[in-house]
Amino acid sequence: MKVRSSVFASLCLLLEVCGIALFLRGFFPVPVKSSFTSKSKLSDLPAEPLSSGNGPNTSKVPPPLFKRVVIVLIDALREDFVFGTKGRQFMPYTRHVIERGSSLSFMARVRPPTVTMPRIKALTTGSIPGFIDVVINLNSQALLEDSLIWQAKAAGKRIIFYGDDTWVRLFPKHFVEYDGTTSFFVSDYTEVDNNVTRHLDSTLKRDDWDMLILHYLGLDHIGHLSGPHSSLVGPKLIEMDDVLKKIHASLISKETEGSLPNLLVLCGDHGMSETGSHGGSSDPEVRTPLVLISPAFKRKTGMEKPSTVEQVDLAPTLALALGLPISQNSVGILIPPVFQETSLREQLRFLHLNGFQLSCLLKDSMAGYEKEEGYEQFRVAEKSHGNWMKLYLEGNASEVLSNMGKKVLKQYLDALKAMSSALSRQLGKYDMYSMVVGMILIFQVLLLLLLATPEALSGGARVELPLGSALLSLPFYLLCLLCTSVHMLVCTSTENSCYLCGLPWSFAVAAIVVVSATLCLLVTMAVQRLVPEGTESSDWGNTLDILLLTGTLGHLFSLGASSFIEEEHQSWYFLLSTLCLAIFQDVCRTYFSERRGPADELCHPHPREVAPSKKWLALATPLLTLACCRFLRSLNQTGVQWAHLPDLGHWLTSAEHKVALSLLSASSLALILILVQHRCSLVSKIALALGLLGVYSYRAAVGNVLFPWQHNLRDLSKGTVEARFVYVFVLGILFSGAKDLLRSQVVTADVRLKARGLWEVYSGLVLLASLLFRPHNLPVLSCSLLIQTAMRQFIWWEQHYDAAQITIMHYWFGQAFFYFQGNSNNIATVDISAGFVGLDTYVEAPAIFLTAFSTYAGPLLWACHLVCYLSLESTTAMAHGCYCFALLRSIPAAAYVILVTALRYHLFIWSVFSPKLLYEAMHTLVSTAMCLFLTVMDQNHGGRP
């Protein structure tokens, strides 16, 4: 059975997508939980330890320390916004309370991923969410596990909430009063906070609440729009300082003699990177302030350096301070200074309850918990605590008792830290069965593609698949029986729930048949390849081929180190520069070398007579590409190590250089029009010109750039009308291109009509990217188009590069331009503000699409250009291009699943490898969609011979 190379590659990629999805399902596990449904109860708490006898010990929580609690959570509040120079300048009242008032100050360290929903979970449950919560963050569901909010409601406390509606979705029936605001509409940084503050005056006057939670989003939105050094940050911090002053004054005025004091908590859910985003693990993202203000604390005499705590420590601290049980799944430990003013017996009781909760969670999550150092230390501390209690109850009041109590206190703290650390390392329980099956599928696809490479890249572009002999063989049926037996054995013997074991048997049998058939097909093809049959194959062996092969494999091997993943852009920049030099050498050899050997004639047949000007333009093309790449490298600093350094983008976006940014943006848009319009129809040319004018008008409306007649920025708006004006032209160009493409496929087999349709679709995507890119990134788009035009006109056609070589070049350029945009393998570099261009309110589907398109515009546009180019090539070009793209995506996918599986228990994998794995999965989806499109085009192709 012979199939077209493009069809074979598409089927392989679809199978690989299934394998990657299954592997990700097993790799992103259910986090360590004691139970999702059970909750901590006062009746379940242990009694105070006694060495012997039955004394008057208690099993209850000590009395609460505070009457009311107000939690002010300022989204993306960095540590230096409070404790640094910005805090001194823009938050004077808060700094005065921190330095001279009755307060406690800490630097709370956040665990990645630093996005809002996982951080709210950490603050309320004390648990450490995983990277899969980044995806769930887009559509949060009700939180069913034990939490501080659930415990407070169960205890009869009345909770009021105003702010980010993520809280309302997580705790839908827990607030007696609430008003939620959407957290995803980042263009709004004013009304989103006014909607919270407008409730303050009336709420603070009332006495019908016990806990007030305020979640302010404006600072986070400013960061996404213009970064942490924006001129908008100062006024927003002043606004937050006024809010804190108002709340603090109200709480103080309600303090009465003999009643419990109130508590004001100031915290951030995460920080903000130097680019204004978050999601990664850089210091500005994981360091947030935590300030506790209450008359219960000693008054300070000066600024003290804040000590470091974990963000998850707040949940157990607030729980016991309010007289509530600690959430079952909390891995946090008490913050000792909060309880310093209580008696020694109460302090020991607080630590004992915290240790008991952590030891129970340790039992549920680790088989060998008894051998854990922290568990052993807790048992020793508990025994010492019993001895202390015996002396205490006997009335011993000597200094020996005090010293012994302090020693027990230290034993408890050491045990709590050790148990918390052990639980933090145990991020979750992996579904190894799903991971192994997914890995098998991915490797089968890779081996299939490798075995079929000679046939797929031959002149016929067809692959012989011996399906009949494979499916009718005895090994196939034996393998099905063996896989079924293994499946039953795993599902009946495993202690943990496996995803595959929960599927209906029909799905399980289908999966077993697919895996068995693919393996038999692999063996049959391998046996056939051992006997050479004179199959025509592609000629690989010149310098460029060796570079493309070694470069791709070398980049793959480099990803085995976390530092190479963090700075992956450097690898692509190096490969791209080397590629330009190799092309420069080829051009010199083709046009300017007097002596040409047989190898040169084979790889580059002597071209027809070419005008001297065209020869020099061909020679200048790789040099122009090098110059463009060098310019784009200086535009955006990315990666981890040097992302904080100033770059040309920061210089352009500063207020004093707005004229330079305006000139650069206008020049880039004009260049885009010149490079794109020449292959469009007249109507599309006009639409493109008006659309690009609308792009500039949109950026002028929001204050990024200036028109010549503009002298101030007083008349700023959200640019909604201008952006929607551009969207109309984007849809019009896409519709025109789709119409021509459909006519060429259904009505008439017109190659020129199809080529024009593809180019107009590409033009529409270019216009959309122009709208979504920030103004300083428009040169990335114009340089991309300039390189594509020069390469197409003077290099690819004239140098007779084949489809496989051109496909790999497009892949390399696409990967490099992903990083030229300022992206990295860090979630924090995703520009979510692009998802709200032209939107008045948050609409989930368009916001997700626009954000994803803006992030992957580089690889996507280069893939689309490849489709346009191959549509004009020979009849086998599309099949070869599709096949090479499939192979390029399968090799890193296979390598990554091995690497991630081998390092799954290392903590650093969650901050480095997990985001990269998600990026690779997204790249594979994009490649699969492109390959399917190429396959459809290939079925009705009539390009140049």
Side-chain angles (χ1 to χ4, degrees), residues 418-455:
M419 286 193 290
S420 176
S421 178
L423 287 165
S424 299
R425 289 194 302 268
Q426 184 79 2
L427 289 176
K429 299 175 181 177
Y430 295 94
D431 183 358
M432 286 302 300
Y433 185 38
S434 298
M435 289 175 68
V436 169
V437 175
M439 192 186 308
I440 290 172
L441 281 173
I442 293 169
F443 268 89
Q444 285 181 336
V445 168
L446 176 59
L447 292 174
L448 276 174
L449 289 168
L450 290 175
L451 285 172
T453 298
E455 285 183 298

Side-chain angles (χ1 to χ4, degrees), residues 209-279:
W209 55 270
D210 302 295
M211 184 181 292
L212 174 62
I213 303 173
L214 309 172
H215 189 148
Y216 284 93
L217 291 163
L219 184 64
D220 177 68
H221 290 186
I222 289 173
H224 285 298
L225 287 172
S226 51
H229 306 295
S230 167
S231 58
L232 300 172
V233 170
K236 180 56 65 175
L237 291 177
I238 293 173
E239 178 188 342
M240 295 296 98
D241 192 55
D242 291 339
V243 168
L244 288 166
K245 183 178 181 180
K246 178 185 291 188
I247 296 171
H248 191 211
S250 175
L251 292 179
I252 290 176
S253 67
K254 295 200 173 185
E255 297 283 353
T256 57
E257 189 72 28
S259 66
L260 291 174
N262 298 319
L263 174 66
L264 172 60
V265 179
L266 168 65
C267 61
D269 56 346
H270 51 73
M272 184 189 299
S273 71
E274 287 301 313
T275 60
S277 193
H278 53 87

Side-chain angles (χ1 to χ4, degrees), residues 348-394:
L348 291 174
R349 177 59 173 158
F350 285 129
L351 294 175
H352 175 242
L353 291 173
N354 192 188
F356 175 79
Q357 175 264 324
L358 288 175
S359 66
C360 291
L361 185 59
L362 204 63
K363 292 178 185 177
D364 290 338
S365 59
M366 294 184 183
Y369 67 92
E370 293 178 344
K371 298 179 181 178
E372 281 292 327
E373 181 184 4
Y375 186 82
E376 294 175 354
Q377 289 177 336
F378 173 68
R379 287 304 175 201
V380 172
E382 195 174 37
K383 187 175 181 180
S384 301
H385 187 185
N387 294 331
W388 185 89
M389 279 294 299
K390 181 182 178 182
L391 294 175
Y392 176 83
L393 294 175
E394 289 175 354

Side-chain angles (χ1 to χ4, degrees), residues 601-668:
E601 294 291 345
L602 178 65
C603 301
H604 301 287
H606 208 292
R608 62 187 181 275
E609 288 299 321
V610 180
S613 60
K614 200 164 188 179
K615 292 181 181 181
W616 288 107
L617 286 172
L619 190 65
T621 295
L623 300 179
L624 173 67
T625 304
L626 277 174
C628 289
C629 292
R630 188 63 193 88
F631 166 68
L632 296 179
R633 286 180 63 175
S634 64
L635 199 60
N636 294 299
Q637 288 283 2
T638 185
V640 174
Q641 299 295 329
W642 299 280
H644 64 283
L645 297 178
D647 51 37
L648 186 57
H650 283 93
W651 185 85
L652 287 168
T653 52
S654 60
E656 57 269 23
H657 301 124
K658 191 155 289 186
V659 174
L661 179 61
S662 301
L663 290 173
L664 183 64
S665 301
S667 303
S668 299

Side-chain angles (χ1 to χ4, degrees), residues 494-511:
T494 182
E495 296 179 359
N496 302 319
S497 59
C498 297
Y499 173 70
L500 288 175
C501 296
L503 293 176
W505 265 100
S506 56
F507 288 97
V509 170

Side-chain angles (χ1 to χ4, degrees), residues 31 53 63 179-180 224 284 299 458 463 623 714 916:
D179 184 10
H224 285 298
R299 184 174 292 272
S458 65
V463 178
L623 300 179
R714 292 179 182 176
K916 176 63 177 172

Side-chain angles (χ1 to χ4, degrees), residues 464-483:
E464 177 68 35
L465 293 180
L467 277 177
S469 57
L471 297 180
L472 297 177
S473 62
L474 180 61
F476 169 68
Y477 298 103
L478 293 177
L479 198 56
C480 287
L481 290 174
L482 178 62
C483 292

Side-chain angles (χ1 to χ4, degrees), residues 868-924:
C868 295
Y869 180 84
L870 294 179
S871 68
L872 297 173
E873 283 294 291
S874 64
T875 55
T876 59
M878 281 197 174
H880 288 173
C882 179
Y883 190 85
C884 288
F885 227 85
L887 193 58
L888 287 169
R889 293 311 313 155
S890 298
I891 293 174
Y896 247 83
V897 296
I898 292 180
L899 189 64
V900 170
T901 303
L903 300 174
R904 64 188 181 279
Y905 291 120
H906 291 263
L907 188 60
F908 73 90
I909 195 174
W910 291 97
S911 60
V912 178
F913 287 91
S914 295
K916 176 63 177 172
L917 191 60
L918 292 174
Y919 277 129
E920 288 296 321
M922 186 63 71
H923 277 305
T924 303

